Amino acid sequence: MSSSSIDIELAPLKNAVSMALEFAASLGTNAAEVAISKQQGLSVSTRLKEVETVEFNKDGALGITLYRGGCKGSSSTSDLSPEAIKEAVKAADGIARFTSEDAFSGLADADRMATEFHDLQLYYPEDITPEALTELAIRAEAAALDADEQVKTSDGANVNAHTGFKVYGNSHGFLQGEASSRYSLSCVAIAESEGKMQRDYDYTVARQLNALASPETVGLKAAQKTVDRLNARKIATTQLPVLFSPEIATGLMGHLVSAISGGSLYRNSSFLQDAIDTDIFPDWFSIAEQPHLQGGLASANYDSEGVATVERQIIDNGRLASYLLTSYSARKLGMTNTGHAGGIYNWTLSNTGQTFTQLIKEMNTGLLVTEVMGQGVNGVTGDYSRGAAGFYVENGVILYPVEEITIAGNLKDMYSNMVGVAKDQDLRSSIRTGGILLSDMKVAGN
């Protein structure tokens, strides 16, 4: 869709935001911010190559937050008529009149607002039918079911196509909108051997429909991963090097996101309290945040407060170089807003030059983890203990699958004990990384 077509779609949303801001100002409020979204999507799921569900959604909502001094009130409406918008503003104002004052609340500072807007190429709409999505799902299931005779059935395939428009404006005069699209395809296979069953899945996600991996690739990978897990066994309790597969490595870094986020820090609930400018990782390791990658799954010109996003080092040669702060958390901590209201933006991890297969060989004898379970992570202490499944590796060769084990450690030790990151990255999330090898962890089994 051309930029002019996008402007036409955004125009009524910008008008609604402007109307809400003007009405809030007429009530004598100090400041206000308004966000509005409109999205639509189509989802199709199949099971055993038959359509199970077809879902179409189309909705939108406006949310307003306004301030009277340090008092804050918020409300929302899905009715975007002028009358409904005015009622929502009145409701927010009524709430603000009865809330307690908070000296740290308010809009982000005016000088932090984004003024440059890159063409991030996030919007690729497709005029696609339920029948076309159904065909993709069935092709994925068919590939999984035909891949190996041990694949006995499928737990389904799912295809999603979604597009959306968002507009944000505030009393600083900031008023901007964006359009985005996202497509995904997933498939789950179930295999059986000696009366015992295993399941696994694979998926693909992209801004463009034609950038997805083929349904056959997704189905085949789902089947291969499932068959590989058959005849899994426990291992004896021990201490071993552990290699996290790329999908699990993103979760390992996800704990870092939580630990360095302003909310955790000002509540004193992070194991990385007061850790800025200290060494957390080995000196060869860095994380770069790249918010302006074209087509990136987590690209943005500004955060949900209108603050400009900038490229920055999160980890710089092992050192924690930046926290993740909103306007509120920055004020609470007496620090500078980093533009992270709403999340992170395309974290790209450095690597040690090996492929994932080479890291398996270099690990020699250890545990390859492909699944973790449970919520055994303490964000305050960093203690980590989770159920896991994967593969036992000896002399650089995968010997057999393992299950019903627990891996344990402390995130501080785990981060400092990283000895390798694979160069073949998984690009399907906001954290772009290959597999991560740790020198050792406790493994509880038999």
Side-chain angles (χ1 to χ4, degrees), residues 88-132:
V89 175
K90 288 179 182 178
D93 186 41
I95 294 169
R97 292 175 184 272
F98 291 97
T99 57
S100 300
E101 184 173 355
D102 186 339
F104 303 106
S105 67
L107 303 180
D109 295 341
D111 61 0
R112 306 292 296 173
M113 296 295 103
T115 56
E116 296 183 8
F117 305 95
H118 308 271
D119 178 10
L120 300 178
Q121 300 183 15
L122 306 181
Y123 187 56
Y124 296 89
E126 294 280 350
D127 185 14
I128 192 164
T129 64
E131 291 78 13

Side-chain angles (χ1 to χ4, degrees), residues 67 86 106 125 137 216 243 296 307 320 333 361 382 391 401 418 422:
Y67 302 90
K86 287 185 177 182
E216 288 75 19
L243 174 59
V307 176
L320 178 58
L333 294 166
K361 292 180 179 178
F391 299 89
M418 285 171 47

Side-chain angles (χ1 to χ4, degrees), residues 1 5-7 9-10 13 36-42 57-61 122-126 161-167 177-183 207 302:
M1 182 178 283
S5 299
I6 293 175
D7 290 340
E9 292 282 352
L10 291 174
L13 303 184
I36 190 171
S37 64
K38 183 178 77 171
Q39 56 270 326
Q40 67 178 34
L42 181 63
N57 71 281
K58 185 174 184 178
D59 53 43
L122 306 181
Y123 187 56
Y124 296 89
E126 294 280 350
H162 286 89
T163 58
F165 299 87
K166 293 181 179 179
V167 171
E178 61 180 8
S180 64
S181 58
R182 183 175 293 241
Y183 303 90
R207 293 288 187 184
Y302 51 89

Side-chain angles (χ1 to χ4, degrees), residues 123-129 132-133 136 159-162 181-185 204-215:
Y123 187 56
Y124 296 89
E126 294 280 350
D127 185 14
I128 192 164
T129 64
L133 292 188
L136 296 177
V159 189
N160 297 281
H162 286 89
S181 58
R182 183 175 293 241
Y183 303 90
S184 65
L185 165 65
T204 177
V205 59
R207 293 288 187 184
Q208 301 183 61
L209 182 63
N210 62 11
L212 294 176
S214 72

